[in-house]
C-alpha cells in the first residue's frame, strides 16, 4: 500500500522544539533522511493507510507512507516533507523507530553555480523566501543551500534560474569524499 498527501504549496512555518533544532544543527555533513522506519507490535499496528496517516500526521506533513513491509516485518516507512518531523519521531519513538535511507528522488538541498548566482536579478531576495535554511556551503564553484523542508528545495529549483537539485547520492559521495580527504590529511600528519 502507498499513500500520501500531494503538496499544493508550502504551508505556514511549523514550530519545532529547540531540542529538535539543536539535534539537527549537531548533525554531520552527511545527508539527513526525512524517512523513518517504525516497527509496531502487532496489537498497535496501524491496519490501514488512513490510520497510519492519522498517527504520524501529528509529527508533521507527510510526503509518503509505505506499508509494504507491514505483513512481513510489522514496519511502516514514513517520509515527511520536513526532516525535523522525522527527527521528532526518532526521539519520541526511540527503540521502535530508526532513520531509513531517503528515496533517490527526495532532496532537501539545491546547488547553483557561482556564475548563475551572480546573474540572478536584483529582485531576487534570497533562498530564505522558499523556506527555513538548515545550512549553506560552497563546493568548488557551486553554492549548496540545504533546507529543512523538501518542498522548499523543490520550489527553489522551479523558480530560480540555474538552480538544480542536489540528489542524495551526490551528497553522500561528497561527504565520503570529505571523509577520505580528512583521513588522508591525518595520515600525512602522522596521526
Amino acid at each position: 500500500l502507498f499513500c500520501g498527501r500531494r503538496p499544493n504549496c508550502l504551508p505556514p512555518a511549523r514550530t519545532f522544539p529547540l531540542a529538535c533544532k539543536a539535534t539537527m544543527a549537531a548533525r554531520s555533513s552527511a545527508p539527513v533522511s526525512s524517512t523513518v522506519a517504525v516497527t509496531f507490535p502487532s496489537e498497535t499496528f496501524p491496519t490501514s493507510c488512513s490510520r497510519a496517516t492519522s498517527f504520524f500526521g501529528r509529527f508533521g506533513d507527510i510526503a509518503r507512507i509505505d506499508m509494504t513491509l507491514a505483513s512481513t516485518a510489522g514496519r511502516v516507512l514514513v517520509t515527511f516533507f520536513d526532516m525535523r518531523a522525522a527527527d521528532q519521531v526518532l526521539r519520541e519513538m526511540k527503540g521502535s523507530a530508526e532513520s531509513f535511507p531517503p528515496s533517490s528522488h527526495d532532496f532537501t538541498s539545491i546547488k547553483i553555480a557561482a556564475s548563475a548566482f551572480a546573474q540572478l536579478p536584483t529582485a531576487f531576495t534570497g533562498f530564505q523566501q522558499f523556506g527555513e535554511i538548515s545550512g549553506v556551503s560552497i563546493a568548488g564553484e557551486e553554492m549548496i543551500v540545504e533546507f529543512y523542508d523538501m518542498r522548499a528545495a523543490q520550489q527553489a529549483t522551479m523558480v530560480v534560474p540555474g538552480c538544480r537539485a542536489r540528489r542524495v547520492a551526490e551528497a553522500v559521495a561528497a561527504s565520503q569524499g570529505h571523509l577520505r580527504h580528512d583521513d588522508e590529511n591525518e595520515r600525512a600528519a602522522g596521526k
Side-chain angles (χ1 to χ4, degrees), residues 173-190:
S175 69
Q176 289 172 345
H178 291 300
L179 294 175
R180 278 194 301 274
H181 183 68
D182 291 345
D183 291 344
E184 290 168 6
N185 287 343
E186 286 181 11
R187 274 182 286 211

Side-chain angles (χ1 to χ4, degrees), residues 150-174:
M150 69 174 76
R151 293 170 292 194
Q154 291 166 352
Q155 191 175 20
T157 61
M158 291 185 287
V159 173
V160 179
C163 185
R164 300 176 321 278
R166 184 170 189 240
R167 301 282 176 197
V168 173
E170 183 181 345
V172 169

Side-chain angles (χ1 to χ4, degrees), residues 19-159:
C20 184
K21 288 182 180 182
T23 301
M24 297 305 298
R27 293 196 191 251
S28 71
S29 62
V32 179
S33 179
S34 296
T35 302
V36 292
V38 181
T39 305
F40 288 92
S42 58
E43 63 275 0
T44 62
F45 190 84
T47 55
S48 69
C49 200
S50 62
R51 286 187 182 169
T53 301
S54 177
F55 178 82
F56 289 109
R58 67 188 170 105
F59 294 104
D61 292 340
I62 299 168
R64 283 185 306 281
I65 292 181
D66 183 343
M67 297 182 70
T68 57
L69 298 173
S71 61
T72 57
R75 288 181 121 181
V76 175
L77 299 178
V78 183
T79 302
F80 293 94
F81 285 110
D82 193 308
M83 66 177 73
R84 294 171 293 189
D87 192 58
Q88 191 173 354
V89 170
L90 293 172
R91 283 184 294 103
E92 288 187 25
M93 300 185 76
K94 195 171 247 165
S96 61
E98 61 184 293
S99 186
F100 197 81
S103 179
S104 62
H105 58 271
D106 289 345
F107 65 96
T108 56
S109 300
I110 57 97
K111 58 186 177 179
I112 185 168
S115 57
F117 186 74
Q119 295 176 3
L120 290 175
T122 55
F124 180 71
T125 59
F127 288 102
Q128 72 279 1
Q129 68 183 311
F130 301 107
E132 198 171 348
I133 295 173
S134 66
V136 178
S137 60
I138 302 294
E141 294 293 317
E142 295 181 317
M143 178 172 69
I144 309 294
V145 179
E146 301 171 55
F147 294 96
Y148 287 110
D149 194 306
M150 69 174 76
R151 293 170 292 194
Q154 291 166 352
Q155 191 175 20
T157 61
M158 291 185 287
V159 173

